[in-house]
Amino acid sequence: MNIRYLTMPAHDNYPYRVFLSYAKKDGENARLLFDRLRQLHLRPVWDHHTPAGWRFLDEIKKKIDHSHVFMPFLTPKSKRSTWVNHEIGYAVGRKVPLAAQLGSIA
């Protein structure tokens, strides 16, 4: 995975919340990106600890609403993901700044 552009750490006293949207099939690479964001003193947020069920969508929306930046992890798999596309649309509609991360195609 190519994450060479993510090099500038955030200010330690105010970690920016970054909502990471990804396809489940990209989970391993998404975890690497999540870890890299933490190394940069950012506060990555994702659905990893969100309980399944009816409240899932509300929790995801809440996490996006409270993020400073929305980062879709774009791969061929995420392109086909209904959830990733829904989350992108929601973030755009809520005017959450986007910072897309292009995943490796291999």
Side-chain angles (χ1 to χ4, degrees):
M1 180 175 66
N2 182 355
I3 54 175
R4 68 176 179 253
Y5 299 110
L6 298 174
T7 58
M8 190 171 126
H11 192 276
D12 285 337
N13 294 331
Y14 192 79
Y16 289 96
R17 290 180 302 278
V18 179
F19 185 90
L20 180 57
S21 178
Y22 65 100
K24 293 293 182 213
K25 293 179 180 178
D26 290 322
E28 187 175 315
N29 284 330
R31 170 50 98 176
L32 294 173
L33 179 56
F34 180 93
D35 292 342
R36 180 64 180 137
L37 293 170
R38 289 190 68 164
Q39 290 171 0
L40 295 171
H41 305 285
L42 297 168
R43 185 172 290 158
V45 179
W46 60 354
D47 65 353
H48 225 252
H49 297 291
T50 304
W54 288 101
R55 294 192 53 210
F56 181 80
L57 183 56
D58 290 335
E59 289 296 318
I60 293 298
K61 288 179 177 180
K62 184 177 175 182
K63 288 179 179 186
I64 293 171
D65 285 339
H66 290 99
S67 293
H68 296 98
V69 176
F70 178 85
M71 180 176 284
F73 182 50
L74 301 177
T75 67
K77 293 171 187 165
S78 69
K79 180 180 175 183
R80 294 184 296 274
S81 168
T82 303
W83 278 105
V84 171
N85 285 293
H86 176 77
E87 291 167 355
I88 291 171
Y90 184 79
V92 168
R94 301 295 288 179
K95 298 184 180 1
V96 178
L98 259 70
Q101 174 64 39
L102 300 178
S104 61
I105 296 176

